[in-house]
Structures are given as structure tokens and as C-alpha cells.
Amino acid sequence: MARHASADHTAWDALPGPVLLLDAQGSALHVNPAFAAFARRDAAHLLGRAWQELLDADSRRGLLAQLAQPADFATALFVSGSAAGEGAAWVEWAAHWQAAAGRWLCLLHDASAAKRSEAEAREQARLFRLLADNVPVLIAYYRASDFQCQFANKAYARTFGTDERAVVGKTFAEVIGNDAAAQIEPRVQQMLHLQQPAAYERELAQPDGSTRFIDVNLLPHVGEGGDTVGCFVLISDITRHRLAERAVRESEERLAKFLHASAEGIVFHKDGVITDANPPLCALIGYTLEELRGRPALDFVAPDQVPRVTGVMQAGQEISYETAVVDKAGRRIAVEFIVRTMLRNGERLRMTIVRDIRDRQAAQARIHHLAHHDALTGLPNRMSFMEQLQQHMVAAEAEGTRLALLFIDLDHFKRVNDSLGHLVGDTLLRTVAARILASLRATDVVARFGGDEFMVLLHGGPSREQQRDDVDEVARKLLAAIEVPVNAEGRPISVTPSIGVAFFPGDAGTPDELIKNADSAMYLAKSKGRANHQFFDRGIADSAYAALVLEGQLAHALERGEFELYFQPQLRLRDGVLVSCEALLRWNHPERGLLLPDQFIPVAERQRLMLAIGQWALTEAARCALRWDAQGLAVAPVAVNLSTVQFQSVGFVEAVAQVLADDGDAARAARLIELELTERMLMDDIGEVKHRLLRLKAMGLGISVDDFGTGYSSLGHLKELPIDKIKIDRSFVHDLPDNRDSAAITRAIVQLGLSLGMTVTAEGVETEAQRAFLLRQGCDQVQGLLIGPPMPLAAFEDWARQRRAAERGAATSSP
């Protein structure tokens, strides 16, 4: 049967087109290389239901509905060649039901080319219509035989009171009117008979009573036989030009009115001598029109601006530029000149609009200040600081001096905003900014870099050692000044800063690098308890920064569902029967991949994140154990490791009870769970440890001691505690059976456990020799790579089912 299937697959694999073999439920049994190449994925990845990822939701539902009926069919589907949609194609899907094999044979044919051709034709028609409807020309085409309209763009149709669909089929006279048709008939006949373009202008009366002027061009369409088969009509609206001509005639009158109505100053001069000016100009500079006429225009220009104004006048430029004039009282006024040459009353004059720009310059100065300064504290902002930092670094390099950059971050400032509001937070930031300024020299640069971050740039001498001492003193001064409580709305509030220091030259060569390294030093300060300052050290800073980054990522890992339980089987040694398993925590880190507990548990315990993570692990393990029990898989108990922080936390026992109660049958759930504690955890406060373990045992939970033999626990303590199982540490098992000391310790632990009525499990069993030695000593259970590695949930379930099947087979075959 397998050989037949393999040969069958080989035949499909040889086909050049995509082939897909599906079972009755739509799961892929086999895909040929052509299908895998089309999907741009490994063939193995497409098996099962994974191939359905190539279809969108609607296509998937429709196809699965057809597959549910055992009858041949064909359909067209839109299929994506990858998850990103690359290689998407229309395919013709032909499905043949192979009743004897109980499967579907699906053959795919790429129909994309036909679809594309059809789409391209539609797109070309759409583009032509789009072009015609958007050009600033009225376009139409009339058939020569009956003068019926065959095409018109929107502008043409609307101009004559219809739309581009309704106009089609109407005659020339019906569209433009009989009178207009009769008026232009000679032009039409000229175009038809001479087969030459004809052009004319005419007026169109508008519904609102206005008149439009149009320029009409008739273009003959000559067929292959030499006859005129049609006429293109192109109409341009020239109303603007005709109105402009009329406006020119009226310009003198309007200009005179404008001169006196304008709110801006206007002056006319000929050959540099003032001939006229309007009242706003007189008011601006304080002279009457009589006082201005006949005087040189340059008399009223600020002395330092005369050369430039003279150059513009001599060149006859038409230009706008900023300059300054002087009023009658001798005050300088910033203005903008807008200079034009024009004809007035037959004379060629220079006209200058004089615009008062004092308010504009004040606003620009304000905008410039706001663009370079923080609105809350008044300090230079990030952009301004970056510009200054670059300049200071260039100067320091040229002068052979040194710079120190202090990166200041306020510890836990977010709590102030979240608990007391942004107004209180703003008050605190303003106060901190003032204190930083008061603690420094006038030559030092201070900036608000963003949020609760401040930058301080200090200048020092050529000696790094002396500068380090000076910076150390400044940093301590800043720490003391900032942490003084602030009175915000009647309540004292205090924050502490973490300060990172980097030097130039030495720690960095560019502004970005200097800031980055000072930032790293600041994170190092935070990792050392905050409220201190640290100098940049590349190795230490990198590790501290990495730890803080991991801490931040760990805080969100649980809510993003990045944790996963792996399961490692535990076998009964005397007969190899699967009896239980251990749940092991893994973190699917989005950047670093799968992380083992020792890579993140210490960080989680330091930040008390382990409480929530441990609760999740216990809940997930209980869920799996209950499901396996309901399925008859009989893998119990499931051992769950407890961290020290978790076990010692207030309310831990109650939290465990809540997990068990969530199923509705706490006793059943407890029977399926075993809690693992390290031997060292038993040595802290034996009275409290015993009390907690007794409460857990009363619920029905199993108790196991992990890493036994490494914690130097008292045998007296051990016999007082309700322990069900001890696990021999892998460090002893690793050297078995050849290492005499490890063998002796292992033998003693096994005997001790058996004597106290406890189950003994050996961890880390990797060789047959280790297993044989443990069997001879009477060890109950083994766990390790020899049996099976830690496996994800689905893989472990498959492994366990195969193991159970093998055990049943062995039991059936035994006499």
C-alpha cells in the first residue's frame, strides 16, 4: 500500500502543473513540487490544512463547501503565492473525486494571463475615459453619415446640458441647437468636403445670463477608403482671455481706486523721483503727499539699505525683498518692497508696494524660539541641542579640549503623571529644569531632550582624570538638587535622577554615538538601583542595557502570549511505562527565538514578574493535565516548577486553590498536578515551609523536591515535610556509573527515598549505562534525553500516544 502511494506521488510529482491531493475533509495528503513552487513554501509546510492559507476567507469557505460534496467540479479561484500575497494568481481549479481512495485529486491551471488581458483592456478604456474627462478641453466625436454623437467627455456633455451617456446618439443640431447648427453649417461642410480642419469662435449664453466664449476646432476623421467617416470636435473655453482683454481696458480706473483703497503703502516713482503715493504710505512714514512728491525715493530708505535698493532700481528688476525705511521721526521700520514696472497714463513708472513687516518679524522670531526651545521649561529642545552639540564637538576637537555629556533621566516619573496628573508632572519638570540650571555654570549647555530626559554638556580641560573628578562633583550636586521634594499643589513630591556620563573624545566620535553611550551609562545607573550616576563603560553598559531591555520585553510577554510549556516524559524504570511528565517553561522571544528559563527567570524574579508568569504556567499545566485525563492518555501527575519568589509570596496557596477550582472539580485537578520545589527552598523558615506544604497536600497535590543532593538540607527537616518524591540532580547522574563519588551519592539518595516511602526520580539520564545502574539501585523513575527531550504540547501528545500504543501492544503480546 505504501509503495503504491509512493509511486502515485511520484507520478504527480512529475507533472509540470500544480497538483494537490486532499482527503475528504480538505486536508492536504500530498503536494507536488510544482504546487510548492507556486506557493513559494516547502511542501511539508503545505500539508494538512496549511495549504488553505493561500486562500482568502470567502474563497476558502466556498471551496471547502464544494469539497464536502463527493462530486467532480471545476471553479476559478484567486490564490496567493505567499503569505505576503506575492505571486498571486487566478487559477482554474479542477477537482476529481477518487471514490476508491476516498480523496480529491485537484489540478490547478494558471488563468492569470487571461484575467490580466481582460483587466488591461478595461483599464485602458478607463484610463482613456479618465483622461478625456479631466483634460481642460471639451471633446466629442460625431459620425459623418448622420451627424450622431458617438462619444463625448463630461465637460462637453455638461456644457450642453446633458451627460456623457445621454448625449450619445443625439445629432449635432439636437446637442447645440438648430440656430447654432445653422450658424456653423458652412464650417462643417468645409471640414467634410475639403477634409481640412476648421476653426471658429462663438459665444454661448449661460443659464445664469452670463456669456462664455469658446474656440471650436473641427478635425476630420478620414477612413481607409479616403472618405470622411467622422468629425472630432475640440472646444476650448477662452472666456478668461476675452475677459482679460476687457480687464486691461478697465485697469487704469481700477488701479486708481486700488491706490486709495489699499491698506498697504504704494508709491510710484519715475527715474527715482516720487510722482504719487497713497494715504497708507503717508501714514506709515509720517509725510504728506505734498511732502513726498518730487523728492528722491532713496531719501526715505534706511542708509544701510540704499546700495541694495539702488541696484534694484538701476536693474529694473521686478522683485520682492525685505529692507527698511526711515519715518519722519527718524525711526527705522522693517518693510517688504514688492516692485513692479507698469504703464500709467501712458508713462512707464516703477510701482512699489511697501508692506510693514514688523509684526511678521516678531512672529518669526517667536516661531524660531519655539522651534528651538521646549515650551514647558524654556530650555533648548532636542533639535537645538543636537545642533549645539555638533558645534561644540567640532570646537573641542580644534582646541584640544574635552566635553562631558550628562544624560539625566527622572526615575519613575511616569508614576507621577499617572497618579497625580500631567499638571503636577509639568510643575515637577519646570522645577527640575530650574534646579539643573542653578547648579551649573553659565557656559554649560542644558536642554530638555524629551519627556523626563535632560541633557547637560560640560566643558573641561585637556586632562581626562581632572575632568572625571569635576564631572563627578557636578553629578553629585545635581543628584542632591533634583531629589529635594517639590511642593506641587500643596503636596510634597520628590523624584530622583539616574545620570549617565560619556566623554568626548574617548567614549565617542560623533554626536549620536556620544548620546547613545551616555544613554547606556544612564541605564547602567538605573540597573544599580537608580538615584546615582555612572560613567560609560562599554562592556558593563551593554549588559545592563540588555538586562533592562529584556525586563521591559518580559513585562509584555505574558499579555502577548509569548510563553509556552514544553513537556518532558518520566518513565517507570522497571517496566518503561510512561507515568508522568514535567512542564518546562519556554519564552518564544520575538527577536531572540526560544529562550530557556535560566535566560529570563532571574530577571523575572528580580522584578516580581515571576508571580504572574508562575500562575500562568500552573494554570496551563492544569489545563493540559485535565484534558489528557479526559482523553484517557493517563499522563499524570504533571510536575510544575515553583520559583522561590512564587512559593514565598503572600497568597500563594490561595492562588493555587483558585487554579484548581477553575475547572469545577478541584480534587480531580489536584490529583493530576505535582509541585516541584528546589531543596534550597525547603531550608528557609522550616515552620512556614511545612505549614504551606501541609495546606497544599490537604488539597490533594503532589509535592516533589527538585535538584536533591545539592542543597545540604537536614534529614530531620526532610522527614518532617509532606514530600512525595525526590529527584536526583542531573550533576550526579551525568557521571554515572564510572564516577565513584557520584555513584555513592546516587545510591544513598535512592536508599534514603525508599526508606522514607518516597518516589525517587533521576533527572538527566542520557545513556543506557546510566539507566542500567539506576535500575540496579532500585530507582523508581527516570527522565532525560535517553527517554525523550522536552517537547512542545502537540509533539508531546503525539509521543505519548505512540508510547501508550506501544505499551498496549507489548502487554497484548506478552504470554
Side-chain angles (χ1 to χ4, degrees), residues 21 98 111 116 133 304 307 310 324 338 406 426 463 490 521 587 612 617 628 638 646 653 658 740 808:
L21 295 179
Q98 297 180 329
R116 281 195 297 270
D133 286 341
D304 62 308
T310 301
I338 304 173
L406 281 65
D426 290 349
S463 168
W587 179 10
W628 296 339
V638 177
Q646 185 183 11
V653 176
Q658 181 61 50
R740 185 173 61 183
R808 287 193 294 270

Side-chain angles (χ1 to χ4, degrees), residues 353-407:
I353 297 174
V354 183
R355 180 174 294 162
D356 186 349
I357 61 171
R358 287 174 291 185
D359 289 343
R360 181 207 298 178
Q361 288 187 342
Q364 288 175 340
R366 175 63 178 164
I367 292 170
H368 183 272
H369 179 83
L370 291 175
H372 290 79
H373 290 78
D374 171 48
L376 179 65
T377 63
L379 295 175
N381 60 15
R382 177 191 290 259
M383 180 177 69
S384 177
F385 179 77
M386 292 300 294
E387 293 174 356
Q388 294 185 60
L389 179 58
Q390 175 70 46
Q391 295 167 4
H392 283 288
M393 290 178 69
V394 171
E397 187 172 21
E399 298 166 4
T401 57
R402 304 181 62 81
L403 300 174
L405 179 63
L406 281 65
F407 195 122

Side-chain angles (χ1 to χ4, degrees), residues 1-11:
M1 184 70 172
R3 286 193 301 272
H4 175 73
S6 176
D8 193 13
H9 293 172
T10 301

Side-chain angles (χ1 to χ4, degrees), residues 260-476:
H260 292 277
S262 173
E264 294 181 328
I266 302 175
V267 60
F268 291 90
H269 61 88
K270 180 180 180 182
D271 299 328
V273 178
I274 297 175
T275 60
D276 201 357
N278 69 346
L281 179 73
C282 296
L284 178 66
I285 61 177
Y287 291 92
T288 66
L289 180 58
E290 289 70 24
E291 291 174 316
L292 293 175
R293 278 178 175 161
R295 291 185 60 179
L298 293 175
D299 286 355
F300 306 97
V301 175
D304 62 308
Q305 295 294 309
V306 168
R308 183 182 185 191
V309 176
T310 301
V312 172
M313 293 172 63
Q314 291 176 346
Q317 291 177 283
E318 296 198 352
I319 188 174
S320 300
Y321 61 100
E322 293 184 5
T323 182
V325 297
V326 179
D327 69 4
K328 194 171 185 178
R331 292 172 300 197
R332 183 186 182 94
I333 301 174
V335 296
E336 179 185 16
F337 281 177
I338 304 173
V339 185
R340 297 292 183 267
T341 301
M342 60 177 299
L343 290 175
R344 187 184 184 198
N345 297 325
E347 288 187 307
R348 190 174 188 84
L349 302 176
R350 294 280 280 178
M351 180 188 74
T352 302
I353 297 174
V354 183
R355 180 174 294 162
D356 186 349
I357 61 171
R358 287 174 291 185
D359 289 343
R360 181 207 298 178
Q361 288 187 342
Q364 288 175 340
R366 175 63 178 164
I367 292 170
H368 183 272
H369 179 83
L370 291 175
H372 290 79
H373 290 78
D374 171 48
L376 179 65
T377 63
L379 295 175
N381 60 15
R382 177 191 290 259
M383 180 177 69
S384 177
F385 179 77
M386 292 300 294
E387 293 174 356
Q388 294 185 60
L389 179 58
Q390 175 70 46
Q391 295 167 4
H392 283 288
M393 290 178 69
V394 171
E397 187 172 21
E399 298 166 4
T401 57
R402 304 181 62 81
L403 300 174
L405 179 63
L406 281 65
F407 195 122
I408 304 173
D409 183 89
L410 302 184
D411 301 326
H412 305 303
F413 177 75
K414 186 176 183 297
R415 295 180 184 174
V416 176
N417 271 344
D418 292 345
S419 59
L420 302 178
H422 288 281
L423 292 178
V424 174
D426 290 349
T427 299
L428 185 60
L429 288 172
R430 283 193 293 267
T431 304
V432 168
R435 290 177 178 177
I436 293 174
L437 283 171
S439 302
L440 300 172
R441 302 167 299 187
T443 56
D444 297 327
V445 180
V446 183
R448 184 184 177 198
F449 209 57
D452 59 342
E453 298 173 343
F454 295 87
M455 289 289 186
V456 173
L457 186 64
L458 304 178
H459 293 265
S463 168
R464 179 183 178 93
E465 292 73 18
Q466 180 61 45
Q467 186 185 27
R468 189 181 180 97
D469 293 340
D470 293 342
V471 171
D472 185 77
E473 180 181 349
V474 172
R476 293 180 188 278

Side-chain angles (χ1 to χ4, degrees), residues 707-785:
D707 303 334
F708 190 80
T710 63
Y712 306 101
S713 59
S714 164
L715 294 181
H717 289 171
L718 191 63
K719 68 181 182 62
E720 294 177 11
L721 301 176
I723 297 172
D724 301 296
K725 179 189 291 186
I726 56 176
K727 300 181 73 174
I728 304 172
D729 187 69
R730 65 181 64 247
S731 61
F732 302 126
V733 175
H734 180 269
D735 296 332
L736 296 179
D738 300 324
N739 186 285
R740 185 173 61 183
D741 294 337
S742 294
I745 293 173
T746 301
R747 190 179 297 113
I749 293 174
V750 172
Q751 292 305 313
L752 173 64
L754 296 178
S755 299
L756 294 176
M758 302 175 185
T759 300
V760 181
T761 299
E763 292 186 293
V765 178
E766 298 180 358
T767 67
E768 181 60 34
Q770 293 168 350
R771 188 199 67 80
F773 175 85
L774 292 166
L775 177 63
R776 291 195 300 271
Q777 306 310 313
C779 182
D780 296 299
Q781 299 174 2
V782 288
Q783 172 183 347
L785 296 180

Side-chain angles (χ1 to χ4, degrees), residues 32 35 89 150 161 253 260 299 334 357 407 421 656 705 725 797:
N32 74 342
F35 188 93
Q150 304 298 301
E253 181 181 351
H260 292 277
D299 286 355
I357 61 171
F407 195 122
V656 174
V705 179
K725 179 189 291 186
E797 289 180 341

Side-chain angles (χ1 to χ4, degrees), residues 404-705:
L405 179 63
L406 281 65
F407 195 122
I408 304 173
D409 183 89
L410 302 184
D411 301 326
H412 305 303
F413 177 75
K414 186 176 183 297
R415 295 180 184 174
V416 176
N417 271 344
D418 292 345
S419 59
L420 302 178
H422 288 281
L423 292 178
V424 174
D426 290 349
T427 299
L428 185 60
L429 288 172
R430 283 193 293 267
T431 304
V432 168
R435 290 177 178 177
I436 293 174
L437 283 171
S439 302
L440 300 172
R441 302 167 299 187
T443 56
D444 297 327
V445 180
V446 183
R448 184 184 177 198
F449 209 57
D452 59 342
E453 298 173 343
F454 295 87
M455 289 289 186
V456 173
L457 186 64
L458 304 178
H459 293 265
S463 168
R464 179 183 178 93
E465 292 73 18
Q466 180 61 45
Q467 186 185 27
R468 189 181 180 97
D469 293 340
D470 293 342
V471 171
D472 185 77
E473 180 181 349
V474 172
R476 293 180 188 278
K477 189 176 180 181
L478 289 171
L479 286 166
I482 294 173
E483 67 184 4
V484 175
V486 176
N487 187 353
E489 298 184 356
R491 67 188 78 188
I493 301 171
S494 62
V495 293
T496 58
S498 293
I499 303 176
V501 183
F503 293 105
F504 172 82
D507 291 336
T510 66
D512 288 340
E513 187 180 7
L514 187 63
I515 291 172
K516 175 178 175 293
N517 292 342
D519 186 30
S520 297
M522 182 272 292
Y523 275 107
L524 177 60
K526 284 188 179 294
S527 72
K528 290 184 177 294
R530 296 177 167 84
N532 70 95
H533 70 282
Q534 296 292 325
F535 293 97
F536 175 71
D537 180 291
R538 193 169 302 278
I540 297 176
D542 287 350
S543 61
Y545 180 79
L548 280 171
V549 170
L550 187 67
E551 175 187 327
Q553 294 171 331
L554 194 59
H556 299 289
L558 193 58
E559 63 188 55
R560 293 172 180 167
E562 294 173 359
F563 288 111
E564 180 181 1
L565 288 183
Y566 274 48
F567 299 89
Q568 188 171 28
Q570 297 173 343
L571 301 188
R572 193 164 58 212
L573 191 52
R574 58 183 171 81
D575 56 8
V577 172
L578 173 64
V579 289
S580 56
C581 68
E582 180 179 0
L584 301 165
L585 186 62
R586 299 291 187 267
W587 179 10
N588 289 307
H589 192 281
E591 299 167 1
R592 298 168 56 186
L594 192 68
L595 299 185
L596 300 179
D598 58 356
Q599 296 175 279
F600 62 88
I601 292 298
V603 176
E605 289 188 329
R606 282 199 304 270
Q607 301 303 320
R608 299 191 67 79
L609 297 171
M610 199 59 224
L611 298 179
I613 296 173
Q615 189 77 352
W616 174 86
L618 184 59
T619 302
E620 185 69 8
R623 184 184 65 82
C624 293
L626 288 165
R627 191 177 74 213
W628 296 339
D629 184 62
Q631 294 174 350
L633 198 57
V635 181
V638 177
V640 182
N641 292 281
L642 300 179
S643 73
T644 302
V645 171
Q646 185 183 11
F647 180 67
Q648 294 176 350
S649 65
V650 176
F652 167 69
V653 176
E654 290 75 11
V656 174
Q658 181 61 50
V659 171
L660 301 179
D662 286 344
D663 177 61
D665 188 349
R668 173 171 168 262
R671 188 180 71 253
L672 303 174
I673 296 296
E674 179 178 275
L675 302 180
E676 281 196 9
L677 298 83
T678 65
E679 188 178 2
R680 292 176 178 84
M681 291 165 61
L682 304 179
M683 299 165 61
D684 297 327
D685 193 354
I686 187 63
E688 178 61 24
V689 169
K690 181 178 180 180
H691 175 68
R692 292 193 177 201
L693 292 184
L694 287 172
R695 291 177 65 191
L696 294 170
K697 281 294 294 180
M699 297 179 193
L701 292 157
I703 305 297
S704 172
V705 179

